[in-house]
Amino acid sequence: MLEQRVTLRHALLSVAFVLVFLLLNRPEVIVISRLGAVVWYPATGLALAILLGISPWYAFPVSFSVALAGILIYDQPILTFSGTIEAVVSAGIYAAAAYALRGPLQIDLGLRRRRDVVLYASVTTAAALVSTGVGVVCLAADRAIHWNEFWPSASMWFLGDEIGLLGVAPFLLIHVFPWVRRQLSPGSFEGDPQKRHASRKTRSSWMLVELGAQICALLLSLWMLFGAPFLHFQVFFITFVPIIWIAMRQGVQRVVSGLLALNFGIVVALHFSTPTTVLLPEYGLLMFVVSATGLIVGSAVTERQRLAVELLERSAELVDANTQMIAAKYKAEGASRIKSEFLANMSHEIRTPMNGIVGMTELVLDTELTHEQRDYLLMLKSSGDSLLGVINDILDFSKVEAGKLELDPVEFSLQDMIGETLRGLALRAHEKGLELAYHVDPQLPEYMVGDSGRLRQVLVNLVGNAIKFTSQGEVVVRVQMDSCSNHELGLHFSVADTGIGITAEKHSLVFEAFAQADGSTTRNYGGTGLGLAICSRLAGLMGGRVWLESTVREGSTFHFTVVFNIAETPRAPRVPTQTAALVNLPVLLVDDNATNRQILLEITKSWGMNPTAVESGSAAMEAIHQAEASGSGFRIAIIDSHMPEMDGLQLAERIKQNPRLAGTIVMMMTSDDGRGQIERRCGMGIAAYLQKPIRQSELLSAVLVVLGQTSPGSGPGSVTRCSPAKTSIELRILVAEDNPVNQRVVVRMLEKMGHLPAIANNGREALSMLDAGTFDLVFMDVQMPEIGGLAATRKIRENEMKTGNHIPIIAMTAHAMKGDKERCLEAGMDAYISKPVSSQGIAETIAEVLRGEAQVQVISVSPPPPDAPPIWDRRKALERVDGDEPLLRELVQIFLKESPLQLASLQQAIETANLEEIERIAHTLNGELGCLGMADAAQKAKDLEHLGHERTLQLAADLFPTFVAGVSAVAAAMRDMLDERREPVDL
C-alpha cells in the first residue's frame, strides 16, 4: 500500500514537472531572441533541481518535457535533431552531472559549504558547456540557424542555461525539494538543523525591517538599471549591492531567494523596456555573474555561521563536559581521600594488634622454653612477619595505583646500599644453605643520586623471591652500566638464581598484580602476587623496566634497569682503590662456590694483586706448598668458613700449625656472626673475619689493615672486632603509648636493652612527666586520647624554645602511609619507627638519634702478643692487705674454698636465665677478685655484673667460659703459692 502511494506521488510529481517545465519555456518567460537564444532558461534549473534533488532517473521526464516543449512551443517536428537527439542528450548530460554530485562528490544539497558550491558550479558549468554544444549543433543541423551564427547562439544558450542552473536550481534545492522529498518518503524528516532551530525563534521587528529594506534595495537597483531618467550610462554594478548585503547577512538560504527575485525582476523589466540586441547578452552575463557571486559569498557566510554555531555548541558541550569533569574530579578526590583515610586507619588498626603479636612473641622467645614451645612460637613469629609483609605490599601497591608514590632522590653509595641490603637477606639464604653474592662493575661511580630506598625495595623483593624459590645453589646479584650521559647514568641489575624456574608462557603474567606463576591452591610457595607488580612500577618510576629470563628446573634471572643522576661533587674514596702494597701481592682465595671465586678474582685483580683461587681446603694446602716450593708464598689467605671435607677453621688451624706459614695472614669469610664463634676464631690467630656477602670496600679496608697500611678505624665499619661488644648506655626513656599491649612490649624491649623506661598513657601525661622528671629520650605514639603525639611534640618544642634544651623524640605509630613520616618530622620529632616494632628496630633508631653514642664496629687485627703479665700479682695483693702475709693466705684459702661454689651458682644462674642472680654473684666475685689483686678477672666479673643488670643473657653466656678459665688459672697460681709455703688448704 505504501509503495503504491509513493509510486502515485512520483507520477504526480512527474506530471507537475512537465507542466511547470512547459510554462517556464514560454517565450514571455525566457525572452527569446531573433537568433533562437534566450536571456535566461529557468527550465534548465528546474530540470537539474529534480534530477539532483529527487533522482537522476527523472532524466526520462526531463527528456520528454524537452521534446514536448519543442513541439508545442517552438513548432519543431518530433523527427528533427532538436526534437530527438538534443532532448535525449541534454537530459542524459544533466542526469550524469546530478549522479556525480549526489554520489562520488557527495555534496550537501543545502549548499551550506563553500566546497559544495564550488563543486556544484564546476560540474554544472561543464554539463552546460556540453549541452550547449550539442543543442546548437542540432539547431544548425535543423537549419534553424546558420553555421556562421554558431558562436553567438552558443554563448547565449550557455548563459541562459547557467542562469537557470545558478539562479533557479539552488532556490529549488534549498526551499522546495526538501518538502517534496518528505512527501515522497512518509515518516522521514530532513532539513537543515540550523534552519529548523532558527525557525523556532520569534522573528524580531528588526528582522522584518531588514527584510523590507533588502526588498527595497532590490527594487531600487532594478529601477536604477532600467528606469532612472537621470542616468545616461549602464549601472550593472548596482545589482551586486543588495545581493552581497543579503549574502553577508543571511547567507545562502536567503541569497538564493534574492537571486531568483532579481533574475525574474530583470526579465520582467526587459518586457517593459526596449533593450537593443547588443544589450541582451550583457544582461544575460550580468545575471550569470551576479548569481555565481551571490552563491559563493552566501555559501561562505553560511559555512562561517555554521562553524560559529558548531563552535558555540562545542563550547557549550565543553563547558558541560568541563563541569562534569570538575565534579568528577572533586568526587574522585573525595574518593581518593576516603580511600587514603581508610588505608591509614586500616594500617593503624592492623599494625596495633600486630605489634602486640610480634613484640610479645619476640619477648617470649628470649625466655626459657621447651623445644616444642620454641617451635610453636617461631612459627607464630614467622606467620606474623609474613602477614606484615602482605600488609606492606598491599599498602605499597595502593600507593602506586593511586599515583601517590613519589621518589625521594638522595646521594648514596651504590656499593654500600647493595651490601647492606643483601646482608639483611644473608641469614635467610644461609639458613637454606644458599650462597648469596653480588658484584658491582668497578667502572661505575661510587656515589650517585636517586631513590635508594625504592631501589632497595626492588632488590629486597627480587632477591627475596630468588631465595624463596631456590632450594640449593646460589643467588647472585650483578650491576653493570646500561647507559651514560653527562648527568645521567643507566644501571642494569640482574638477580640470578638456580631455583625452580618459570615457564615461558608465564613470563609476562608474573608482573601483573595478584598473579603468580603457580596460582593453584596446592602451590608450594605463598605470597600475594604483588611484589613483582610493585617492582615493575617502581622500575618504571625510576626510568627503567623489568624483564625475565628463565628455564624450568634450571633457574631464573630477573633484570631491571633504572636511571640515576651522577653525583655533582665527586667524593674521595674512603679507602684508596689501589696502593703500592697491593701490586703483585700474592693472595690465596679459597671458596667452594665458583661464582664467589670469580667475583673475588675480579676484585683482587682490579686492585693489582696476584690472586690464586681454589675450591677446597685440600686444594688450598696444595697451592700453599707449591707456592712455598717456588719461593713465592702467599701473603694473605682469604678463606670461606663453610666448605665440604675440610672447612675454613680446619684449614686455618693447619696453616697456623705450620711454622713455615707463620707469615701468612688468614682472613675468614663467614655467614654466621655469633660472638662465641668470633672469640674462637680470634683465639686461633685469624687476623679478621668478614661477614658474607662481603662488600668490596670492606674487603679492601680489611686487606689494607692486616698489611699495616691503614689503622683499624680508618675503613668502612661493618666487620666485627674480636672482642666483646661494648654494652649499651643506660637511658631514662619516656614511652607515651595508650595501648596496654604495646606498652608492655616496648617497655620490656627497652628493659632488656638496659634502659629505664617510664609509661605515659597519653600526651597530657607525657607533658606532665616531662615537666616533673628528667628523661634522655621519648618514644611518642602519634594517635592517643586527650592530646595526640603530634600536638604533644609541638608543645614540648615550644617549651624548649624558652629553656634552650632539646630532648630527642621518636615517633612510634601504626600509621604507615605516605606523608605520615613527614608530618611527624614537621611536628618536631627526630625520628620515626612504624609498628609493629622490634628490638633491633628500636635499638637502631635509638643509635641513629643518639649517633654520638653509637659505636661503629671496625675491622680488627690481632696484634702480636706482648709479654704475658703474671696471672696473679701476689705483690699487689699483699699491698692491698698492708703487707699482712697471714691475712693474705687466709683470704686466699677462703677464695679457693668459696669460688668453685660461686662459679657453680653463676653457671646455674646463666642456664636458668636468672639475671638478677647473675648480677649478684658477679658483683660478689668482682669485690673478692679486686681485693686479691686480680684486675683482669675482676674486670670480667664486673662485665658479667653489668650484663646481668642489662638483662643481656646471651653475651653473659658467651663471656662466662672465658671468665671461668681466668679464675681457674688464678686459683692454680694461688695453690702454687700456698704449696711453696706448705700451707694446707681445707677444701
Side-chain angles (χ1 to χ4, degrees), residues 807-820:
I807 183 171
I809 301 176
I810 299 174
M812 184 176 60
T813 176
H815 289 292
M817 296 300 291
K818 176 177 173 59
D820 292 332

PDB file of all heavy atoms in Angstrom, residues 807-820:
ATOM      1  N   ILE A 807      65.173  17.468  73.833  1.00  0.00           N
ATOM      2  CA  ILE A 807      65.077  16.039  74.132  1.00  0.00           C
ATOM      3  C   ILE A 807      64.688  15.300  72.859  1.00  0.00           C
ATOM      4  O   ILE A 807      63.750  15.689  72.151  1.00  0.00           O
ATOM      5  CB  ILE A 807      64.047  15.768  75.258  1.00  0.00           C
ATOM      6  CG1 ILE A 807      64.035  14.276  75.602  1.00  0.00           C
ATOM      7  CG2 ILE A 807      62.650  16.247  74.866  1.00  0.00           C
ATOM      8  CD1 ILE A 807      63.222  13.970  76.846  1.00  0.00           C
ATOM      9  N   PRO A 808      65.416  14.267  72.485  1.00  0.00           N
ATOM     10  CA  PRO A 808      65.059  13.512  71.268  1.00  0.00           C
ATOM     11  C   PRO A 808      63.695  12.843  71.421  1.00  0.00           C
ATOM     12  O   PRO A 808      63.392  12.251  72.458  1.00  0.00           O
ATOM     13  CB  PRO A 808      66.184  12.474  71.153  1.00  0.00           C
ATOM     14  CG  PRO A 808      67.305  13.007  71.988  1.00  0.00           C
ATOM     15  CD  PRO A 808      66.657  13.759  73.103  1.00  0.00           C
ATOM     16  N   ILE A 809      62.863  12.953  70.382  1.00  0.00           N
ATOM     17  CA  ILE A 809      61.536  12.340  70.366  1.00  0.00           C
ATOM     18  C   ILE A 809      61.452  11.433  69.139  1.00  0.00           C
ATOM     19  O   ILE A 809      61.706  11.872  68.016  1.00  0.00           O
ATOM     20  CB  ILE A 809      60.416  13.392  70.331  1.00  0.00           C
ATOM     21  CG1 ILE A 809      60.511  14.319  71.553  1.00  0.00           C
ATOM     22  CG2 ILE A 809      59.043  12.719  70.279  1.00  0.00           C
ATOM     23  CD1 ILE A 809      59.492  15.442  71.548  1.00  0.00           C
ATOM     24  N   ILE A 810      61.087  10.185  69.364  1.00  0.00           N
ATOM     25  CA  ILE A 810      60.945   9.207  68.283  1.00  0.00           C
ATOM     26  C   ILE A 810      59.467   8.888  68.117  1.00  0.00           C
ATOM     27  O   ILE A 810      58.809   8.451  69.062  1.00  0.00           O
ATOM     28  CB  ILE A 810      61.741   7.925  68.599  1.00  0.00           C
ATOM     29  CG1 ILE A 810      63.231   8.240  68.749  1.00  0.00           C
ATOM     30  CG2 ILE A 810      61.517   6.877  67.503  1.00  0.00           C
ATOM     31  CD1 ILE A 810      64.057   7.061  69.201  1.00  0.00           C
ATOM     32  N   ALA A 811      58.950   9.142  66.900  1.00  0.00           N
ATOM     33  CA  ALA A 811      57.558   8.804  66.609  1.00  0.00           C
ATOM     34  C   ALA A 811      57.408   7.294  66.546  1.00  0.00           C
ATOM     35  O   ALA A 811      58.206   6.596  65.921  1.00  0.00           O
ATOM     36  CB  ALA A 811      57.120   9.448  65.301  1.00  0.00           C
ATOM     37  N   MET A 812      56.362   6.804  67.193  1.00  0.00           N
ATOM     38  CA  MET A 812      56.088   5.361  67.216  1.00  0.00           C
ATOM     39  C   MET A 812      54.606   5.201  66.902  1.00  0.00           C
ATOM     40  O   MET A 812      53.754   5.501  67.729  1.00  0.00           O
ATOM     41  CB  MET A 812      56.429   4.794  68.589  1.00  0.00           C
ATOM     42  CG  MET A 812      56.281   3.286  68.693  1.00  0.00           C
ATOM     43  SD  MET A 812      56.810   2.700  70.309  1.00  0.00           S
ATOM     44  CE  MET A 812      55.682   3.574  71.391  1.00  0.00           C
ATOM     45  N   THR A 813      54.310   4.772  65.644  1.00  0.00           N
ATOM     46  CA  THR A 813      52.919   4.783  65.219  1.00  0.00           C
ATOM     47  C   THR A 813      52.627   3.612  64.313  1.00  0.00           C
ATOM     48  O   THR A 813      53.513   3.069  63.665  1.00  0.00           O
ATOM     49  CB  THR A 813      52.595   6.097  64.472  1.00  0.00           C
ATOM     50  OG1 THR A 813      51.251   6.054  63.993  1.00  0.00           O
ATOM     51  CG2 THR A 813      53.532   6.290  63.292  1.00  0.00           C
ATOM     52  N   ALA A 814      51.351   3.243  64.315  1.00  0.00           N
ATOM     53  CA  ALA A 814      50.902   2.189  63.402  1.00  0.00           C
ATOM     54  C   ALA A 814      50.555   2.741  62.037  1.00  0.00           C
ATOM     55  O   ALA A 814      50.247   1.988  61.122  1.00  0.00           O
ATOM     56  CB  ALA A 814      49.680   1.476  63.994  1.00  0.00           C
ATOM     57  N   HIS A 815      50.581   4.074  61.863  1.00  0.00           N
ATOM     58  CA  HIS A 815      50.341   4.656  60.541  1.00  0.00           C
ATOM     59  C   HIS A 815      51.562   4.428  59.681  1.00  0.00           C
ATOM     60  O   HIS A 815      52.694   4.625  60.126  1.00  0.00           O
ATOM     61  CB  HIS A 815      50.061   6.155  60.644  1.00  0.00           C
ATOM     62  CG  HIS A 815      48.720   6.468  61.254  1.00  0.00           C
ATOM     63  ND1 HIS A 815      47.534   6.183  60.636  1.00  0.00           N
ATOM     64  CD2 HIS A 815      48.413   7.023  62.451  1.00  0.00           C
ATOM     65  CE1 HIS A 815      46.529   6.560  61.420  1.00  0.00           C
ATOM     66  NE2 HIS A 815      47.046   7.072  62.523  1.00  0.00           N
ATOM     67  N   ALA A 816      51.340   4.001  58.467  1.00  0.00           N
ATOM     68  CA  ALA A 816      52.479   3.732  57.576  1.00  0.00           C
ATOM     69  C   ALA A 816      52.208   4.241  56.174  1.00  0.00           C
ATOM     70  O   ALA A 816      52.764   3.741  55.213  1.00  0.00           O
ATOM     71  CB  ALA A 816      52.777   2.232  57.538  1.00  0.00           C
ATOM     72  N   MET A 817      51.340   5.245  56.042  1.00  0.00           N
ATOM     73  CA  MET A 817      51.003   5.771  54.729  1.00  0.00           C
ATOM     74  C   MET A 817      51.958   6.890  54.361  1.00  0.00           C
ATOM     75  O   MET A 817      52.677   7.428  55.201  1.00  0.00           O
ATOM     76  CB  MET A 817      49.556   6.285  54.714  1.00  0.00           C
ATOM     77  CG  MET A 817      48.528   5.199  54.944  1.00  0.00           C
ATOM     78  SD  MET A 817      48.588   3.906  53.700  1.00  0.00           S
ATOM     79  CE  MET A 817      47.992   4.821  52.293  1.00  0.00           C
ATOM     80  N   LYS A 818      51.927   7.253  53.064  1.00  0.00           N
ATOM     81  CA  LYS A 818      52.784   8.326  52.580  1.00  0.00           C
ATOM     82  C   LYS A 818      52.416   9.622  53.285  1.00  0.00           C
ATOM     83  O   LYS A 818      51.273   9.991  53.403  1.00  0.00           O
ATOM     84  CB  LYS A 818      52.618   8.493  51.061  1.00  0.00           C
ATOM     85  CG  LYS A 818      53.415   9.672  50.519  1.00  0.00           C
ATOM     86  CD  LYS A 818      53.279   9.731  49.025  1.00  0.00           C
ATOM     87  CE  LYS A 818      53.927  10.995  48.491  1.00  0.00           C
ATOM     88  NZ  LYS A 818      55.333  11.079  48.836  1.00  0.00           N
ATOM     89  N   GLY A 819      53.432  10.326  53.743  1.00  0.00           N
ATOM     90  CA  GLY A 819      53.228  11.600  54.409  1.00  0.00           C
ATOM     91  C   GLY A 819      53.205  11.505  55.918  1.00  0.00           C
ATOM     92  O   GLY A 819      53.349  12.530  56.598  1.00  0.00           O
ATOM     93  N   ASP A 820      53.019  10.270  56.476  1.00  0.00           N
ATOM     94  CA  ASP A 820      52.986  10.141  57.936  1.00  0.00           C
ATOM     95  C   ASP A 820      54.335  10.520  58.541  1.00  0.00           C
ATOM     96  O   ASP A 820      54.403  11.251  59.535  1.00  0.00           O
ATOM     97  CB  ASP A 820      52.606   8.707  58.330  1.00  0.00           C
ATOM     98  CG  ASP A 820      51.163   8.378  57.970  1.00  0.00           C
ATOM     99  OD1 ASP A 820      50.349   9.320  57.938  1.00  0.00           O
ATOM    100  OD2 ASP A 820      50.855   7.212  57.711  1.00  0.00           O
TER     101      ASP A 820
END
